[in-house]
Amino acid sequence: MSANRQRSKYLAFCTECGLPNRLTLFLLRQYVAKDEYSGFYCGNCGIRNEFPNSVIEYIKEL
């Protein structure tokens, strides 16, 4: 896999304040794809945001 793909970042928007949060491919593969983590905490307001099942399935395919 190319170095650029390893450093890819994805945006997830907070459902409370709308702030975009950067999520790395490493984080998504390491935690979300292994069912250890199903969401993220917003860096602005601290609210936990859950990923929908369709997004989790997509992450598992990465």
Side-chain angles (χ1 to χ4, degrees):
M1 181 169 296
S2 71
N4 287 337
R5 179 148 168 102
Q6 285 290 355
R7 290 186 225 144
S8 294
K9 292 188 171 91
Y10 296 85
L11 287 178
F13 293 90
C14 178
T15 57
E16 185 71 22
C17 70
L19 183 78
N21 292 267
R22 287 188 203 150
L23 305 172
T24 64
L25 184 57
F26 173 80
L27 174 105
L28 295 175
R29 282 187 177 156
Q30 190 68 28
Y31 299 105
V32 178
K34 295 180 181 177
D35 295 326
E36 294 177 19
Y37 193 65
S38 62
F40 67 96
Y41 286 95
C42 177
N44 184 48
C45 66
I47 298 295
R48 180 171 169 79
N49 293 271
E50 294 289 325
F51 291 121
N53 288 336
S54 59
V55 173
I56 292 173
E57 292 302 316
Y58 173 75
I59 291 169
K60 288 179 179 181
E61 294 175 8
L62 292 175

